[in-house]
């Protein structure tokens, strides 16, 4: 739930208990892309999940969309400057590694597991110029990580109320809403 971080902030670890057992969540990022996911990254991830669900939750986790559609779905301005932010977010989501030690729900099997993954397992896009920048017409092929795909298909990870989410003005406020929404449900059932 951080809006701005120094580029050197490349990892964090949180320890907690799940069903009375110790668990740990670790995030390791590549400094080149601006540190751990933060700010608008959660909004973009939420928009990608929503587009994936809207497309019918393909078995391989692939979403085909445009940069414009992602920004629009995230409730962000589509006039220009956010395309560079979107590209940085996508690179962070592709390169950051999460390890959920006894903290990732394998809902289909009904247990807590250890999983290590990047949020996105694949990223391809077109650009209008040689600088490989995104624009409104950029076409993207995004593949969500297999653990995330299984979680969504098992209806454990779910889309959010995007109308309400996008009505919140600050990335931190939207992040708190995502956390509070998740706390509304029993993680086991």
């Amino acid at each position: 739930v951080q809006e701005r971080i120094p580029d050197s902030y490349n990892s964090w670890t949180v320890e907690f208990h799940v069903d009375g057992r110790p668990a740990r969540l670790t995030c390791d990022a590549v400094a080149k892309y601006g540190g751990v996911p933060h700010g608008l990254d959660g909004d973009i991830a939420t928009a990608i999940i929503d587009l994936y669900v809207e497309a019918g939750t393909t078995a391989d986790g692939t979403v085909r969309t445009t940069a414009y559609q992602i920004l629009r779905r995230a409730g962000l301005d589509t006039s220009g400057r956010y395309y560079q932010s979107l590209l940085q977010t996508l690179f962070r989501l592709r390169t950051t590694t999460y390890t959920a030690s006894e903290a990732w729900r394998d809902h289909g099997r009904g247990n807590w597991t250890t999983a290590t993954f990047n949020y996105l397992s694949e990223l391809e896009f077109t650009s209008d110029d040689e600088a490989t920048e995104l624009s409104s017409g950029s076409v993207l092929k995004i593949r969500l990580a297999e653990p995330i795909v299984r979680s969504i298909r098992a209806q454990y990870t779910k889309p959010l109320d995007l109308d309400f989410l996008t009505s919140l003005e600050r990335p931190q406020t939207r992040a708190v809403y995502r956390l509070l929404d998740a706390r509304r449900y029993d993680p086991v059932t």
Side-chain angles (χ1 to χ4, degrees), residues 131-149:
T132 65
E133 298 293 322
L134 291 178
S135 66
S136 62
S138 294
V139 177
L140 295 97
K141 177 184 172 189
I142 298 168
R143 182 171 290 159
L144 293 166
E146 182 61 30
I148 294 171
V149 170

Side-chain angles (χ1 to χ4, degrees), residues 13-40:
T13 299
V14 177
E15 295 186 7
F16 51 98
H17 284 82
V18 174
D19 288 341
R21 294 182 336 211
R24 181 179 330 113
L25 183 60
T26 303
C27 175
D28 293 303
V30 178
K32 174 181 177 179
Y33 298 118
V36 297
H38 60 280
L40 299 175

Side-chain angles (χ1 to χ4, degrees), residues 43 99 152 186:
D43 298 330
T99 302
I152 294 169
D186 181 344

Side-chain angles (χ1 to χ4, degrees), residues 16 23-27 97-105 112-117:
F16 51 98
R24 181 179 330 113
L25 183 60
T26 303
C27 175
T97 301
Y98 293 94
T99 302
S101 302
E102 292 299 315
W104 186 259
R105 184 72 178 167
W112 297 98
T113 65
T114 295
T116 299
F117 55 89

Side-chain angles (χ1 to χ4, degrees), residues 49 52-63 104-109 143-159:
I49 286 176
Y52 171 67
V53 170
E54 187 176 279
T57 63
T58 61
D60 68 353
T62 299
V63 177
W104 186 259
R105 184 72 178 167
D106 184 340
H107 202 58
R109 293 185 183 128
R143 182 171 290 159
L144 293 166
E146 182 61 30
I148 294 171
V149 170
R150 282 194 313 266
S151 186
I152 294 169
R153 292 177 61 109
Q155 297 181 340
Y156 190 74
T157 299
K158 63 175 190 58

